[in-house]
């Protein structure tokens, strides 16, 4: 079966094929008479030499991509991405990328749950401490005694409650668990524009949330073919190219937006009924495609709804002004926010929710 290195038997087969090519090339120059059909000999010889050189490059690329490359992509489908998750993600018993949490909250500890999807999870970020939730925890503990935004505490504990692919509707039950079983005092709901994905109707065979898959070739058989497919073919697929427009059309659908408001309303009611502080941050896409996607409109929809429901909220969209999206993504194949973007997210959250309430002796 295929693992994080693909089908190893297929890699061995590629090596055998390349070796065979080299042997045949050697035999051709060794055995083909020099004076018989010189023009044909020249053409075939050049073709074999070119094929051998191309095969060497392909085998080196195959070896690197199959065994050495470690990086994420947008869908987490490649062998390199699978290795990244094995190497850089440690999950706790609740399958969240964080340390193990004690159910009994120690006295004097103020617990904050950052709840979200892959942006909050830290997709593509190697060190957990570089995520915005962990940066906020460090800052809060450094300034715990001087913050009036929080009660008198000795320690702040931030729980990163996030899973890739979660929508707003998926986050209700985890928040219930955090409140009931882990005694969190505050929830920071981390909203991304794709939180409504599961609410948008989709046509059969036309699902923008599903990664393109080749029909005639298993990409686990060749990391090089997989790489070329994801790099060259996938961006040209209609559903991938038009993903953001499809998402924006969902926000323009009154039924979809009403369902999303209902999902948000459940979380707001839950926190209100249990006395848990609720804050919200709307995180932007670093890069978008399509022709009609309007990030400002999407963020404004959320901010207006949250303001109407008296939930302190902030949008991180303004931080993108004057900055190139390419400098804020994990890599060219993965548009998730990188460490620099997470630091900017942390600044936005800090300034909106905690820093204004800080007191100093100056």
């Amino acid at each position: 079966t295929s693992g994080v290195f693909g089908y190893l038997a297929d890699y061995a087969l590629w090596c055998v094929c390349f070796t065979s090519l080299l042997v045949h090339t050697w035999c051709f120059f060794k055995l083909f008479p020099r004076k018989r059909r010189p023009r044909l000999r020249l053409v075939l010889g050049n073709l074999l030499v070119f094929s051998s050189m191309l095969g060497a490059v392909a085998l080196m690329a195959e070896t690197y991509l199959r065994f050495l490359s470690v990086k994420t992509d947008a869908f987490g489908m490649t062998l390199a991405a699978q290795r990244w998750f094995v190497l850089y993600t440690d999950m706790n018993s609740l399958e969240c990328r964080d340390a193990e949490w004690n159910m009994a909250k120690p006295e004097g500890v103020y617990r904050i749950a950052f709840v979200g999807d892959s942006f909050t999870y830290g997709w593509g970020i190697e060190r957990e401490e570089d995520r915005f939730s962990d940066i906020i925890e460090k800052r809060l503990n450094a300034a715990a005694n001087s913050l009036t935004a929080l009660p008198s505490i000795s320690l702040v504990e931030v729980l990163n409650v996030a899973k890739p692919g979660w929508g707003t509707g998926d986050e209700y039950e985890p928040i219930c668990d955090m409140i009931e079983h882990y005694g969190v005092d505050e929830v920071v709901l981390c909203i991304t524009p794709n939180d409504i994905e599961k609410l948008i109707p989709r046509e059969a065979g036309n699902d923008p949330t599903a990664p393109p898959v080749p029909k005639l070739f298993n990409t686990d058989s060749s990391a090089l073919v997989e790489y070329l497919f994801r790099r060259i073919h996938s961006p040209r697929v209609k559903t991938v190219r038009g993903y953001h427009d499809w998402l924006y059309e969902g926000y323009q659908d009154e039924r979809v937006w009403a369902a999303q408001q209902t999902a948000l309303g459940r979380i707001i009611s839950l926190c209100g009924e249990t006395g848990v502080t609720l804050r919200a941050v709307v995180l932007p896409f670093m890069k978008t495609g399509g022709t009609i996607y309007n990030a400002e409109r999407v963020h404004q929809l959320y901010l207006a709804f949250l303001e109407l429901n008296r939930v302190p909220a902030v949008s991180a969209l303004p931080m993108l002004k004057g900055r190139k999206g390419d400098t804020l993504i994990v890599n060219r194949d993965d548009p998730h926010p990188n460490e620099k973007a997470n630091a900017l997210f942390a600044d936005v959250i800090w300034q909106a929710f905690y820093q204004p309430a800080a007191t100093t002796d100056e």
Side-chain angles (χ1 to χ4, degrees):
T1 58
S2 172
V4 293
F5 300 112
Y7 294 106
L8 296 181
D10 287 340
Y11 177 75
L13 179 60
W14 300 135
C15 293
V16 170
C17 290
F18 176 65
T19 303
S20 175
L21 176 61
L22 294 180
V23 171
H24 280 78
T25 301
W26 181 86
C27 290
F28 174 82
F29 285 104
K30 188 73 174 177
L31 303 177
F32 195 95
R34 292 180 178 272
K35 296 182 179 181
R36 183 187 302 177
R37 299 183 180 180
R39 186 172 298 177
L40 176 61
R41 186 179 189 276
L42 178 63
V43 173
L44 292 178
N46 286 336
L47 182 60
L48 285 170
V49 171
F50 175 77
S51 298
S52 297
M53 295 175 63
L54 184 62
V57 172
L59 187 59
M60 286 189 290
E62 176 73 28
T63 301
Y64 172 76
L65 293 170
R66 184 184 287 264
F67 298 108
L68 302 177
S69 177
V70 180
K71 66 176 185 177
T72 53
D73 61 88
F75 294 105
M77 296 287 291
T78 63
L79 295 175
Q82 294 178 40
R83 285 193 294 277
W84 186 91
F85 284 105
V86 171
L87 289 173
Y88 295 112
T89 58
D90 293 320
M91 315 301 285
N92 60 24
S93 59
L94 295 182
E95 294 300 316
C96 289
R97 190 188 177 194
D98 207 347
E100 195 65 39
W101 307 318
N102 292 321
M103 294 186 70
K105 184 179 68 174
E107 185 177 352
V109 170
Y110 186 82
R111 273 185 171 170
I112 305 175
F114 276 71
V115 183
D117 61 3
S118 57
F119 278 42
T120 309
Y121 171 92
W123 182 294
I125 296 177
E126 295 179 3
R127 304 192 315 163
E128 293 178 5
E129 55 264 38
D130 290 331
R131 300 178 300 185
F132 64 88
S133 60
D134 297 74
I135 295 173
I136 290 294
E137 179 182 47
K138 184 177 180 180
R139 290 185 183 181
L140 286 172
N141 281 310
N145 295 327
S146 61
L147 289 174
T148 58
L150 304 180
S152 178
I153 55 175
S154 58
L155 181 67
V156 176
E157 184 180 12
V158 170
L159 315 184
N160 188 291
V161 187
K163 290 186 181 180
W166 266 359
T168 304
D170 301 309
E171 294 163 356
Y172 178 80
E173 290 298 333
I175 292 175
C176 285
D177 291 338
M178 290 300 106
I179 294 174
E180 180 179 356
H181 300 297
Y182 290 87
V184 297
D185 303 285
E186 180 178 320
V187 171
V188 178
L189 187 63
C190 305
I191 301 169
T192 53
N194 61 356
D195 281 353
I196 66 167
E197 275 186 353
K198 297 177 181 179
L199 302 176
I200 305 176
R202 56 203 75 181
E203 302 173 0
N206 185 30
D207 185 358
T209 66
V213 178
K215 297 179 180 180
L216 302 177
F217 187 83
N218 188 332
T219 54
D220 281 2
S221 295
S222 171
L224 177 58
V225 173
E226 176 188 57
Y227 173 82
L228 295 174
F229 178 83
R230 303 294 177 198
R231 173 62 63 84
I232 299 174
H233 176 73
S234 293
R236 291 171 171 79
V237 175
K238 181 180 178 181
T239 54
V240 175
R241 191 175 65 250
Y243 169 77
H244 295 96
D245 286 349
W246 171 81
L247 200 64
Y248 186 64
E249 289 173 353
Y251 280 102
Q252 294 179 308
D253 187 325
E254 293 183 0
R255 292 171 297 177
V256 172
W257 177 235
Q260 177 68 349
Q261 290 180 86
T262 299
L264 288 168
R266 293 182 68 202
I267 294 175
I268 294 171
S269 297
L270 172 65
C271 292
E273 293 168 359
T274 55
V276 171
T277 300
L278 176 64
R279 310 181 197 269
V281 55
V282 188
L283 304 175
F285 290 131
M286 303 298 101
K287 293 181 67 176
T288 57
T291 58
I292 66 172
Y293 181 78
N294 188 328
E296 291 185 2
R297 171 61 177 161
V298 171
H299 282 242
Q300 190 55 44
L301 281 173
Y302 280 110
L303 293 179
F305 175 80
L306 293 166
E307 181 181 5
L308 182 64
N309 287 273
R310 300 179 180 179
V311 177
V314 63
S315 168
L317 183 63
M319 77 169 205
L320 296 181
K321 292 183 179 179
R323 294 186 172 89
K324 294 182 179 180
D326 290 336
T327 66
L328 299 175
I329 60 175
V330 172
N331 60 60
R332 62 183 298 181
D333 300 317
D334 186 353
H336 283 89
N338 61 13
E339 291 85 350
K340 182 178 179 180
N342 271 256
L344 293 172
F345 289 164
D347 288 341
V348 170
I349 296 169
W350 178 260
Q351 293 169 11
F353 300 147
Y354 306 108
Q355 182 171 279
T359 59
T360 65
D361 296 330
E362 297 178 359

